[in-house]
Amino acid sequence: MTQTFKVGHLPSITWNRLGLNEEPVEASLSGNLPGSRYLSLPEGTCMRTLSFEEAEAQLKSCAPVQEQEKYVAGKAPVYHPQAFGTGLGKDYENVLKEAGVPVEWIELSSTEQEETITCRMNLRDGESASCAQILHLKENTRVTAVYVSESAEEAGGVLALSVRAVLEKGAFLRLVLVQLLGSRFTALSDVGLSAADNASAQLIQVELGAQKSYVGVQPELIGKGASFDSAMGYMVTGQQLLDINFNTVQRGTQTLCGMTFDGVLNDHARKTFRGTIDFRNGSSGSKGEEQENVLLLSNDVENRTMPVILCEEEDVEGSHGATIGQLDEQVLFYMATRGIDAAEAQKMMVRARLGAVARRVPDEAARKRVQDYIDRKVNCDTCVRAAECPQAMNEN
Amino acid sequence: MAMNQDITDVDRSLYDFKDDESDFYRLDEGLTEEIVSRISDEKHDPAWMREFRLKSLRLYESIPVPNWGPPVDELDMDHIATYVRANTDMKGTWEEVPDDIKNTFEKLGIPQAERESLAGVGAQYDSELVYHNVRQEVADQGVVYTDLESALTGEYADMVQEHFMKLVPPTDHKFAALHGAVWSGGSFVYVPKNVTVEIPLQSYFRLNARGAGQFEHTLIIVDEGADLHFIEGCSAPKYNVANLHAGCVELYVGKNARLRYSTIENWSKNMYNLNTKRALVEEGATMEWVSGSFGSHTSYLYPTTILKGDNSHCEFTGITFAGAGQNLDTGARMVHLGKNTSSYINSKSISKSGGISTYRSSIEVARSASGAKSSVSCGSLMLDSESRSDTIPAMDIRTADADIGHEAKIGRIGDDAVFYLMSRGISEEEARAMIVSGFANPVSKELPLEYAAEMNNLIRLEMEGM
């Protein structure tokens, strides 16, 4: 059955006519795990499979309480708060619950070395699958968790991913999300994090595949000195749609947040980015930064960007920036003096922009597949073409 | 406008005095078809305008209150008088204006400013203009500056009908519909082709009546190659009931023309300021907004510029200062339609003593707007942790041939800067006020000197006791 719901709610809604307050989704979610899944856990790791309700109760017992804001932009927030916030939000959580998606509870304790979780999902054409996990990192535990979703190039289906993580004092989580699904897939990827004193989370995310992709991330920096650092790369081409909602809540003192987003849009691609830094009362000494850089390669793209800062604390430093446009003319001129035409220069710059994020993927096999996917997208007929390169047209 | 430039001498009584209104004509509170018809009767509207008002009223009833922005739940239209007229008609000299009203504008410095630095003045008191005048040499250039009601039935009637609420249709939002139903007062300006008005025109809006609304409409048409600076000021005494301002400003900037529209808004802190301002800019023309928002209990204010013509340009420079009990939601909107259009937004906001300041904007670049450039710079200053400052910008870009940049920063007054000034013998309070004035400098330097001084006075007033 097809479910209709909304994801990626802005905590501070704005003019409805812009269509940016949330994104409607139509998808048929199932509670089945991917038919082909490789899951590797550190030796001795305790993993239990729970119902969504059981997992919520368990989460409530170990995660710090997430306080909701009374006012946002001068009025009571209109979105529905969650007990444990995630980027895609309450509606998505409800849909997973109704679909009977099991939740894998993975408890990780401190060892001398950094441990790795690998979850590779290879979906077949027509498959609808879900994967929901909660990572509980005990004090001072260091973990890298890599999630790679793939399918055949032309395949279609649905993948609903949910990763929630509770980071106790001093814990470190490097979360790597790579989405390389086929061109008819709908992908939903939802992340919620809570970080206690001096805990830190790092997110490396690459979004290249699927026809429609919805990404949500909500880190709650609750403890003193907690931090969140993210780097996301995306390339959206053809008729692809990408909707991104990041909402970092900084509640503890001296918390740090740094988010960068580097993307490329071509053909008839549509992309929406909402990025919120939310300084709550009590977050004195905190800093938050976000930056989005978008390269536009076609006159038919739609790029929507919303970098938001909410602030109810005096002693903070927040900044956001966005640059949206074509390649800089000076770069093109420099390339031309080296005998590289505009179309080839664009390909190089796309590779460079996405490669900078791809190189941070720690899993060598996943990194290779990302590089290959980027090369395929850059070189395919419908991607960067001299005839459609606006600057090439200008030169003619 | 306050002409007292000695900032230490300013006190709030400058804006807070009230006149007796016992002999004023005041329609019943509330919003009904009968009241709207009576306003239409009072103003001797042409038939089309009467029909327009009633249609707008029906729209008002059907359009919901915005679900975004500050709350307006406490604004009860059943307790707002939409039309209050003082016991005078519009005069052409200050001597003819009744003493109490004239004294009000004297205290605000309007006649003095007119003598010294303005090409013409319109002064509105509650729902109607009480004074309107333009210098003879400016009138001789063919410049028309009059009240909108006169324009509606006079020589420029067709021009008014062609442009009135076409940029801001009553379907736009609930308070635009309200304005369409009950508008009263305001100015009409027409600057003919290639005419440069060397010194500014100014309209000043004073709302004296308790529990009343002011709904003036400003319509300015700057023809091809012409140049105008228009200044708008407003104030009101404070009451313990809600007052409402739902004005509307429509600006048409012709080919290669330039219009600067400056506003110092200092409504009282019981005022709901739900104002709509919009400009349509033709080929090669320039629109400049300079906006200072200091007053009001609640504000929704986002001057919108439609860059329709190729090579048209807009700059917005604004500052918002939200103090105790204030919830000011301000910003700007730029719509790029023509080729090689450019826009620049420089916005500053300050929050203190529990005030809420929200910067809200959108940059919209249509597919047709190849070569568009836009740059947004937004700074917010938090003076304490009881206050709140939010920045909610949006960008919607639909052509690759665009160059869009956005940057925003939020923070507090640096201890180092305060320490440095204190080490030079300046008190902490003075040092903080100086830093805030410096923060506001990009806006004040865009204003004529006396208005910049008034803005600095307002900042100083707000900073007292910090």
Side-chain angles (χ1 to χ4, degrees), chain B residues 286-299:
Chain B
T286 297
M287 177 69 216
E288 298 168 355
W289 301 95
V290 181
S291 178
S293 294
F294 295 89
S296 304
H297 171 267
T298 296
S299 262

Side-chain angles (χ1 to χ4, degrees), chain A residues 38-175:
Chain A
Y38 167 78
L39 179 64
S40 155
L41 298 173
E43 202 173 324
T45 301
C46 166
M47 184 177 98
R48 288 172 292 150
T49 302
L50 308 171
S51 70
F52 220 91
E53 290 78 3
E54 287 168 336
E56 277 188 349
Q58 180 91 2
L59 201 51
K60 206 172 175 181
S61 69
C62 75
V65 176
Q66 296 188 353
E67 291 161 9
Q68 306 305 330
E69 275 184 299
K70 289 183 187 134
Y71 294 97
V72 177
K75 74 186 300 178
V78 294
Y79 65 99
H80 305 293
Q82 298 165 275
F84 191 92
T86 65
L88 291 187
K90 183 77 173 172
D91 287 8
Y92 179 64
E93 187 181 299
N94 288 340
V95 170
L96 291 178
K97 204 183 293 183
E98 283 162 20
V101 175
V103 180
E104 293 168 327
W105 184 284
I106 301 170
E107 200 163 288
L108 298 138
S109 299
S110 176
T111 59
E112 284 179 5
Q113 61 186 38
E114 188 171 320
E115 302 283 5
T116 301
I117 296 172
T118 306
C119 180
R120 289 194 198 116
M121 295 160 281
N122 202 329
L123 280 85
R124 64 181 190 281
D125 190 25
E127 185 174 358
S128 174
S130 302
C131 175
Q133 293 188 339
I134 295 176
L135 311 179
H136 182 189
L137 276 67
K138 299 281 193 176
E139 211 169 311
N140 297 321
T141 304
R142 296 179 67 82
V143 171
T144 292
V146 182
Y147 296 82
V148 181
S149 49
E150 303 174 86
S151 72
E153 225 169 288
E154 303 293 326
V158 179
L159 175 63
L161 180 65
S162 163
V163 179
R164 288 175 282 178
V166 178
L167 278 63
E168 292 190 0
K169 279 183 187 173
F172 168 76
L173 173 66
R174 181 187 291 120
L175 183 62

Side-chain angles (χ1 to χ4, degrees), chain A residues 175-392:
Chain A
L175 183 62
V176 182
L177 299 169
V178 175
Q179 189 268 102
L180 308 171
L181 289 164
S183 58
R184 292 184 295 112
F185 256 91
T186 296
L188 296 118
S189 166
D190 192 23
V191 173
L193 300 164
S194 80
D197 289 358
N198 297 316
S200 58
Q202 189 183 75
L203 173 70
I204 297 158
Q205 188 156 13
V206 181
E207 282 287 324
L208 295 173
Q211 184 180 21
K212 293 178 181 173
S213 181
Y214 307 90
V215 173
V217 177
Q218 180 160 324
E220 292 251 350
L221 306 180
I222 295 165
K224 181 182 177 184
S227 68
F228 174 68
D229 168 57
S230 77
M232 182 178 188
Y234 59 81
M235 184 167 184
V236 194
T237 60
Q239 301 285 342
Q240 281 183 297
L241 175 149
L242 174 61
D243 188 89
I244 306 165
N245 184 48
F246 274 56
N247 181 21
T248 303
V249 180
Q250 296 185 242
R251 284 168 46 192
T253 58
Q254 297 167 16
T255 58
L256 292 174
C257 162
M259 303 188 279
T260 58
F261 304 84
D262 284 291
V264 179
L265 304 187
N266 201 359
D267 307 320
H268 294 271
R270 287 177 293 148
K271 184 231 77 186
T272 300
F273 163 68
R274 299 175 213 89
T276 301
I277 295 173
D278 187 355
F279 292 111
R280 299 281 177 89
N281 207 287
S283 61
S284 61
S286 293
K287 292 181 183 177
E289 289 179 6
E290 63 175 307
Q291 175 71 37
E292 192 194 29
N293 304 307
V294 191
L295 183 58
L296 307 177
L297 298 179
S298 155
N299 284 324
D300 296 319
V301 297
E302 289 182 18
N303 175 75
R304 301 189 297 174
T305 294
M306 249 194 113
V308 174
I309 299 181
L310 308 175
C311 180
E312 56 181 14
E313 175 61 52
E314 177 202 13
D315 182 16
V316 294
E317 286 177 38
S319 65
H320 61 216
T323 58
I324 303 159
Q326 313 179 79
L327 276 182
D328 187 74
E329 283 187 9
Q330 286 186 342
V331 172
L332 288 174
F333 178 76
Y334 176 83
M335 296 287 193
T337 61
R338 266 77 185 154
I340 300 165
D341 64 24
E344 191 55 36
Q346 280 193 350
K347 288 181 184 179
M348 287 172 68
M349 296 310 292
V350 170
R351 284 196 197 95
R353 184 170 288 225
L354 298 175
V357 181
R359 277 192 293 280
R360 295 181 65 180
V361 174
D363 180 304
E364 195 178 334
R367 188 166 60 242
K368 174 80 171 61
R369 282 201 287 281
V370 168
Q371 294 284 13
D372 290 347
Y373 204 106
I374 293 170
D375 283 343
R376 275 209 307 279
K377 283 198 102 167
V378 169
N379 290 321
C380 78
D381 288 345
T382 57
C383 293
V384 183
R385 289 176 300 203
E388 287 192 1
C389 165
Q391 282 140 316

Side-chain angles (χ1 to χ4, degrees), chain B residues 383-430:
Chain B
L383 298 184
D384 54 54
S385 286
E386 293 88 61
S387 305
R388 183 168 182 106
S389 181
D390 295 329
T391 306
I392 310 173
M395 286 158 269
D396 188 338
I397 315 302
R398 300 190 180 209
T399 177
D401 188 9
D403 186 355
I404 312 299
H406 172 98
E407 60 171 30
K409 283 186 177 166
I410 192 160
R412 64 175 193 152
I413 295 175
D415 292 339
D416 291 352
V418 175
F419 178 76
Y420 174 83
L421 289 168
M422 289 174 74
S423 72
R424 265 67 186 160
I426 296 166
S427 70
E428 184 178 348
E429 186 179 326
E430 185 78 1

Side-chain angles (χ1 to χ4, degrees), chain B residues 56-57 59-60 63 165 169-171 173-182:
Chain B
S56 298
L57 175 65
L59 281 166
Y60 172 79
I63 299 173
M165 291 203 82
T171 48
H173 57 83
K174 190 171 186 71
F175 302 105
L178 172 65
H179 178 89
V182 299

Side-chain angles (χ1 to χ4, degrees), chain A residues 25-47:
Chain A
V25 180
E26 271 188 27
S28 300
L29 266 65
S30 86
N32 302 327
L33 282 167
S36 170
R37 185 178 76 146
Y38 167 78
L39 179 64
S40 155
L41 298 173
E43 202 173 324
T45 301
C46 166
M47 184 177 98

